[in-house]
Amino acid sequence: MAKTADSSGGNAGPAKSGPSWFDSLRLLCLVIIGVSLTVSFARLLSVQQFASANDRSRWCTVAALVEEGTYAIDNVSRRPGWDSIDKVRHNEHFFSSKPPLFSTLVAGVY
């Protein structure tokens, strides 16, 4: 490598010939992380509410608890877009087939 002289006439060390491979790798990693975060955020914004029967079943239980004070989801599942195949019938009423803990906690916050 070529050495450059400083103003006092001594050697200043090796001359830099541009960014090192480490700087290029760091830049590439930052670009990949940035693109990943952007894509993830855009995906979160485009998620449909009640996208699956699993979600609908849980949210039906939350709505039934808050609005009717019961775990039976009969009336709630009749609403357009709220019906779910993840339900069970017991004593002439439908209930979510999911464990009730999550729905009960969310209903408390709701």
Side-chain angles (χ1 to χ4, degrees):
M1 288 198 163
K3 295 199 177 207
T4 58
D6 62 8
S7 60
S8 63
N11 290 334
K16 284 196 163 190
S17 62
S20 69
W21 67 270
F22 181 75
D23 292 334
S24 299
L25 181 62
R26 191 172 97 185
L27 179 62
L28 177 64
C29 288
L30 289 174
V31 168
I32 290 173
I33 290 170
V35 169
S36 298
L37 288 174
T38 302
V39 169
S40 297
F41 185 69
R43 177 71 179 125
L44 283 174
L45 292 178
S46 67
V47 171
Q48 294 178 357
Q49 187 178 15
F50 307 138
S52 70
N54 184 359
D55 294 336
R56 286 190 302 270
S57 178
R58 293 179 191 274
W59 285 112
C60 282
T61 303
V62 171
L65 281 170
V66 170
E67 297 169 6
E68 301 172 14
T70 181
Y71 283 96
I73 62 172
D74 299 319
N75 295 330
V76 177
S77 65
R78 290 185 189 122
R79 297 176 187 169
W82 283 69
D83 195 21
S84 173
I85 60 171
D86 284 352
K87 59 186 176 183
V88 294
R89 188 171 184 90
H90 178 70
N91 290 339
E92 303 302 317
H93 292 286
F94 285 106
F95 297 89
S96 173
S97 63
K98 306 300 174 210
L101 179 62
F102 176 74
S103 300
T104 304
L105 292 174
V106 172
V109 175
Y110 179 66

